[in-house]
Amino acid sequence: MKRSITIPLIATLFAMAGCSTMAPKYSQPAAPVPADWPGGAAYKEGSKPADKPLAEITWQEFFVDPQLRKLITLALENNRDLRVAALNIERSRALYQIRRSDLLPKVDASADANFQRLPEDFSSTGQAETVHQYNVGLGVSSYELDLFGRVRSLKDQALEQYLATEQARRSVQISLVSQVATGYLTLAADRERLQLARETLSSQQSSYKLTKNRFDAGVSSSLDLNQSQTTLATARVDIARFTTLVAQDENALSLIVGSPVAAELLPVALSENLSALKDITPGTPSDVLLHRPDILQAENQLKGLNANIGAARAAFFPRISLVSSVGFGSNELSGLFKSGSFAWSLAPNISLPIFDAGSNKANLKVAEVDRDIAVAQYEKAIQSAFREVADALAQRGTIDEQLEAQQSLTNATAESYKLSRARYDKGVDSYLSVLDSQRSLYGAQQGLIEVRLARLANLVTLYKVLGGGEK
């Protein structure tokens, strides 16, 4: 009779253990940002909507320069930060498996033998005797029946943490790809600046020799000679400065890539990489914010803390655990599996919190506050993402106009230099006019390189802040 009652009871308890948790129903917080990107003089109007979210566009589609693609591939293979992020995923996956396994009983096999000598006073026969006991069996040790979803809530929290680490890895990868591209373009710009400084030095040396010859012949003044020497020294200073920057750029690129970079993979000049990136459209805020990995990571963390509330609520209710075993026992090894040696045991344990000095209530309050903090962090992540994209779009809306103006300025100063040089050679103007034109042209050329770099860097920034694709 007892056996017929026990089996249905155990089956009922196991069925109840598979019920839902006591965690509050998750509701995604509303995005605290406008539905559209900002508008105004700094932004391009009438941009066509994106064909698909940038998160679905692979980095190979966006970065079209072959050398840059090879560098990014090397970085994805060798970068230590990305390795750490991948290892964190493995760790979180293992922790999730641990929590998930708690939902099922853990069955252990055991075998033991016990030999004991009983003295005369303890023996039932009145004589000292040796007792032998042999046991084999299977047992479940301290399995908690998850009637109120405590274990399941902890499993859900571990799952969300695992998913959050996956999104963190995506963030690291997108950041790494953008860092490689930025470092590559910066190196290209500094190499072009260095080459421009060298060409300027060569030109200044020729001018200085010509001016010195004119001075020796009594045609030019000492002021002209000193001014020519000043521009020569300025060019030498820039060569030393840009040589240092190029070396530092190469070191930074090697660090990001995670290994020494072969010379054939390094850029020659920025002017040769003006089409290294593909232009992109921003799409709508909802598309961007739903696909950015840092926001998905913040939401996974929010869901995990929401699940923690279920575990804290379940702590107020009884906790039932089972210890059971089934097997064979005998006082002789040869009779271990004979008829009548079968044995079993079942030891349920119920623990009901009565007085805990308010610790369970405080734990629940902590879980609820942690959830509220995560909501604020999630909303802040959305606001920060919106601001990053808006800033990048503001620069994108004006950078082409700035580049066009800088190109026009460079062309005009180049023409001015030719005219001033011709007037000086004919003795119409002083060398000061030539010097001013040279300085203006050199500054305009350096400015043109800087604006070109800013335009390409802006595209890289857009790739990053719009949640660029990873594969």
Side-chain angles (χ1 to χ4, degrees):
M1 183 67 178
K2 291 182 179 179
R3 182 179 179 183
S4 62
I5 296 176
T6 302
I7 294 177
L9 176 61
I10 294 176
T12 302
L13 292 175
F14 272 98
M16 292 176 63
C19 295
S20 61
T21 69
M22 302 183 71
K25 184 179 180 180
Y26 174 74
S27 178
Q28 185 182 49
V33 293
D36 298 310
W37 300 120
Y43 301 91
K44 284 185 176 179
E45 300 295 338
S47 296
K48 66 176 183 178
D51 296 331
K52 58 180 178 179
L54 188 60
E56 299 178 10
I57 300 176
T58 64
W59 62 262
Q60 292 93 336
E61 294 180 67
F62 181 72
F63 299 99
V64 297
D65 182 74
Q67 289 178 253
L68 180 54
R69 284 181 178 177
K70 291 179 181 179
L71 281 179
I72 293 175
T73 301
L74 285 175
L76 295 178
E77 293 173 354
N78 299 323
N79 186 267
R80 271 56 178 180
D81 289 335
L82 192 59
R83 287 186 186 180
V84 171
L87 291 173
N88 282 333
I89 292 178
E90 295 300 321
R91 180 178 182 275
S92 296
R93 182 186 290 118
L95 290 174
Y96 168 63
Q97 292 296 335
I98 292 173
R99 287 298 186 186
R100 186 179 181 184
S101 67
D102 290 339
L103 293 172
L104 300 174
K106 295 179 177 61
V107 180
D108 301 318
S110 63
D112 63 85
N114 183 30
F115 307 98
Q116 183 179 13
R117 184 182 186 280
L118 298 178
E120 295 178 355
D121 291 345
F122 293 165
S123 174
S124 60
T125 62
Q127 295 181 353
E129 61 178 329
T130 301
V131 178
H132 296 178
Q133 290 183 341
Y134 303 91
N135 296 281
V136 294
L138 299 175
V140 176
S141 60
S142 191
Y143 168 64
E144 179 179 345
L145 291 174
D146 194 28
L147 301 182
F148 303 101
R150 189 188 74 87
V151 178
R152 190 171 295 275
S153 293
L154 294 176
K155 184 267 296 181
D156 292 342
Q157 189 275 335
L159 174 61
E160 296 300 334
Q161 186 61 40
Y162 160 61
L163 296 176
T165 55
E166 168 61 25
Q167 298 302 333
R169 185 202 62 80
R170 286 186 58 207
S171 292
V172 171
Q173 177 164 325
I174 292 173
S175 178
L176 174 61
V177 170
S178 63
Q179 285 178 5
V180 173
T182 300
Y184 180 85
L185 295 172
T186 301
L187 175 58
D190 285 341
R191 280 191 162 189
E192 187 165 341
R193 287 166 176 159
L194 176 59
Q195 182 61 30
L196 176 61
R198 286 172 174 167
E199 292 173 355
T200 302
L201 177 62
S202 177
S203 174
Q204 293 299 329
Q205 286 174 335
S206 300
S207 297
Y208 176 75
K209 290 179 181 179
L210 179 60
T211 304
K212 190 174 186 309
N213 292 334
R214 292 167 65 96
F215 173 77
D216 293 339
V219 178
S220 296
S221 66
S222 60
L223 178 61
D224 290 345
L225 181 64
N226 289 330
Q227 288 173 339
S228 178
Q229 190 173 6
T230 300
T231 58
L232 188 66
T234 300
R236 291 176 61 189
V237 169
D238 283 350
I239 288 176
R241 180 164 62 92
F242 289 126
T243 299
T244 300
L245 290 177
V246 166
Q248 291 175 342
D249 292 341
E250 291 175 356
N251 294 338
L253 197 57
S254 295
L255 176 62
I256 297 171
V257 172
S259 64
V261 180
E264 60 269 17
L265 295 180
L266 297 177
V268 176
L270 187 66
S271 57
E272 298 182 5
N273 294 275
L274 297 181
S275 59
L277 311 179
K278 181 180 179 181
D279 201 3
I280 53 177
T281 53
T284 63
S286 60
D287 288 335
V288 172
L289 302 181
L290 287 176
H291 291 87
R292 269 186 57 141
D294 57 333
I295 294 177
L296 293 174
Q297 178 186 0
E299 185 174 14
N300 288 136
Q301 292 170 341
L302 171 58
K303 290 179 179 179
L305 292 172
N306 191 72
N308 269 351
I309 296 178
R313 287 177 175 175
F316 288 91
F317 295 88
R319 186 179 301 180
I320 303 175
S321 59
L322 297 178
V323 177
S324 64
S325 65
V326 59
F328 301 89
S330 174
N331 59 0
E332 294 182 0
L333 184 60
S334 60
L336 189 59
F337 297 102
K338 290 184 178 180
S339 175
S341 63
F342 178 75
W344 63 270
S345 68
L346 176 65
N349 177 51
I350 301 178
S351 175
L352 176 65
I354 296 178
F355 177 75
D356 59 9
S359 63
N360 281 340
K361 187 175 182 180
N363 285 332
L364 177 58
K365 183 63 177 178
V366 168
E368 291 173 342
V369 172
D370 284 344
R371 188 269 316 272
D372 294 340
I373 292 174
V375 170
Q377 291 174 334
Y378 174 72
E379 293 174 342
K380 178 64 180 297
I382 294 177
Q383 291 175 333
S384 298
F386 186 89
R387 185 267 174 92
E388 290 174 354
V389 177
D391 285 349
L393 290 176
Q395 186 181 23
R396 184 193 184 203
T398 57
I399 193 66
D400 288 337
E401 182 179 349
Q402 184 181 352
L403 179 60
E404 182 181 353
Q406 188 66 39
Q407 183 67 64
S408 177
L409 175 62
T410 303
N411 296 338
T413 53
E415 187 64 25
S416 296
Y417 171 69
K418 291 180 182 179
L419 294 175
S420 63
R421 185 72 198 189
R423 290 172 64 87
Y424 172 73
D425 291 339
K426 294 180 179 181
V428 177
D429 282 341
S430 67
Y431 189 74
L432 180 60
S433 177
V434 177
L435 179 62
D436 288 340
S437 297
Q438 284 178 329
R439 289 174 177 172
S440 298
L441 176 59
Y442 182 67
Q445 290 172 328
Q446 293 285 3
L448 181 60
I449 296 173
E450 183 177 351
V451 176
R452 285 173 173 173
L453 175 61
R455 183 182 181 278
L456 293 174
N458 175 250
L459 290 176
V460 176
T461 300
L462 281 171
Y463 162 83
K464 179 181 176 181
V465 299
L466 291 174
E470 56 174 321
K471 294 183 179 180

